[in-house]
Amino acid sequence: MTTDATATTTAAGTTEAPEPAGTAATRAVLDAFLARLGDGSPEALAELYAEEVDWYIAPNPRVPWIKPRSTRADVADHYRELAEGRELDPERTGFDAVVITGEDAVVVGSFAGTVRRTGKAFQSPFALHFTVRDGLIVRFRVIEDSLAIAAACAEDPAPES
């Protein structure tokens, strides 16, 4: 394994392990992703992804934005559909942990919002797993409570007369 740095010795005399190769580059892309996510531009977010991306969110036919994607254009569509489909609740949305090692980064947190079409609220824990190569996200995995989101997308049945 190659490393970005050699081991260092702290003032207390303990040795710290070097960062795995690619960690700094992955951190830079993740920082840009998180900043752009806050700005809300689908195209700006998509610029961080490779032209062809290994993308996986468990598909759910009730949730328009949860489906397979494979290109940078698909990624822009995802973030556009997501923004159009739900109103984010910033008070109940946040990150709990970020772990970066080499090409991989994982962000864990919780998000909440309201589906615009139905007016129903949802909340979901999440984990996002990124793999970054050559300064672009090449692999993206989302683990979330898609059932809670699907329930918020579901139309209520018409009342019986």
Side-chain angles (χ1 to χ4, degrees), residues 37-52:
L37 187 63
D39 294 341
S41 167
E43 290 73 22
L45 277 163
E47 289 173 354
L48 297 171
Y49 288 81
E51 284 294 334
E52 297 290 322

Side-chain angles (χ1 to χ4, degrees), residues 91-106:
E91 297 296 318
R92 298 186 305 144
T93 298
F95 306 116
D96 298 325
V98 176
V99 178
I100 303 170
T101 183
E103 296 180 331
D104 292 295
V106 176

Side-chain angles (χ1 to χ4, degrees), residues 2-9 15-19:
T2 61
T3 60
D4 288 334
T6 57
T8 58
T9 303
T15 302
E16 295 178 355
E19 266 189 357

Side-chain angles (χ1 to χ4, degrees), residues 7-140:
T8 58
T9 303
T10 66
T14 59
T15 302
E16 295 178 355
E19 266 189 357
T23 299
T26 300
R27 182 177 295 110
V29 171
L30 184 62
D31 288 347
F33 174 87
L34 295 175
R36 292 177 190 192
L37 187 63
D39 294 341
S41 167
E43 290 73 22
L45 277 163
E47 289 173 354
L48 297 171
Y49 288 81
E51 284 294 334
E52 297 290 322
V53 61
D54 178 3
W55 172 289
Y56 185 77
I57 300 174
N60 191 314
R62 286 193 163 172
V63 185
W65 56 85
I66 299 180
K67 59 187 171 191
R69 311 290 179 158
S70 61
T71 68
R72 183 179 289 159
D74 291 341
V75 170
D77 288 343
H78 168 79
Y79 290 111
R80 191 174 303 104
E81 292 168 15
L82 181 62
E84 291 168 357
R86 59 95 179 110
E87 179 72 31
L88 192 64
D89 178 351
E91 297 296 318
R92 298 186 305 144
T93 298
F95 306 116
D96 298 325
V98 176
V99 178
I100 303 170
T101 183
E103 296 180 331
D104 292 295
V106 176
V107 178
V108 178
S110 177
F111 67 95
T114 303
V115 173
R116 294 182 198 274
R117 184 173 42 83
T118 64
K120 294 180 184 178
F122 63 87
Q123 184 161 5
S124 173
F126 70 83
L128 306 175
H129 180 190
F130 302 81
T131 302
V132 174
R133 287 192 194 112
D134 299 323
L136 295 170
I137 300 165
V138 297
R139 185 172 181 263
F140 183 69

